[in-house]
Structure formats: C-alpha cells, structure tokens
Amino acid sequence: MTRSLAVALTAAAGALIALQAPINSRLGRAVGTLPAAAISFGIGTVVLVLLATLLGGGWGRVGHVRHLGVVYLTGGLLGAVYVSTVLVSVRTLGAGGVTAATVAGQLTAAVVVDQLGLLGVAKQPVSALRIAGIVLLTAGTFLVVRE
C-alpha cells in the first residue's frame, strides 16, 4: 500500500469515527450508556466475525494468541472505554469537540509510544516539529471546544 493511499484510507476511517460519537450518543439516550456501547460493539463483532470468516482466511491462527502478552489483548477494552466515554461527552462537546480531543489525545500518546518504542513500535525520537504538532493540535482543540 502506498503512503498516499494509507493516509487517504485512514482519513476516511477518521471521518467515520466523527459520526460514531453522535450515533452512539443517540442510541445511549434511547437505551442507556453501557447498553448502547454493548450494542455498538456487538454489531461490530458480528460484522468482523463474518468478514474474518468469509474474507480473512478463517480462524486457524487464533491459537497463536496464547503466545502474546496480555497487553495485546486489551484493544477491545480500550475501544470500549473510548466508545463509552464519547457516547456521553459528545453531549457536552459536540462531534467536533469530541473528535478534536480524541485526535489530540491520540497524537500525544502516539508520540510517547514512538519515543519509547512501546508495544513493538520502532523508536522515533521526539523532535521539535512533533512537539509543535502537539501544541498546535492542543490549541486547535481548545478553539473547537471553547464556548
């Protein structure tokens, strides 16, 4: 995959994430916060199981999970924390505020992960430009969420 295509696909997925918070929030008002998060994950799980079964080459390698550290099994938990949090915070911040805060938090944490080479990621040192990016994104988040 080319770098340009990777950026385009990731940006498109990011656009979908901006829709996720208000959709789940409305669902949460109808059925409750945690049930809404469970419904959201349940539907996603069904779709992913179908895709993995039909397109992903099957389930033959699932046994390899036992060779991984437990931290590599927490992705769904982290997603549940995110979905449950934004389901409620979008009511206060709006879709733009939630998305801005999410991206700012993601970038800040990702720079730390890169700097330390955590979770199997190749080390990439913090640079002045990366720090400037975090500062500018933080300022942008402030401008989006302020009243």
Side-chain angles (χ1 to χ4, degrees), residues 105-121:
Q106 286 175 326
L107 180 63
T108 303
V111 167
V112 171
V113 168
D114 284 347
Q115 168 66 27
L116 300 175
L118 299 174
L119 303 170
V121 173

Side-chain angles (χ1 to χ4, degrees), residues 12-96:
L16 295 176
I17 295 299
L19 303 175
Q20 184 184 32
I23 288 169
N24 284 339
S25 180
R26 177 65 183 99
L27 180 62
R29 280 187 241 136
V31 302
T33 298
L34 294 178
I39 290 167
S40 177
F41 272 87
I43 291 168
T45 299
V46 168
V47 169
L48 287 172
V49 166
L50 287 172
L51 290 173
T53 300
L54 299 173
L55 306 174
W59 296 89
R61 296 182 56 183
V62 171
H64 294 198
V65 74
R66 70 180 177 271
H67 302 296
L68 294 173
V70 71
V71 70
Y72 295 103
L73 302 176
T74 62
L77 173 63
L78 300 176
V81 169
Y82 172 74
V83 167
S84 299
T85 300
V86 301
L87 200 146
V88 176
S89 64
V90 72
R91 298 172 194 163
T92 303
L93 300 176

Side-chain angles (χ1 to χ4, degrees), residues 7-17:
V7 168
L9 289 174
T10 304
L16 295 176
I17 295 299

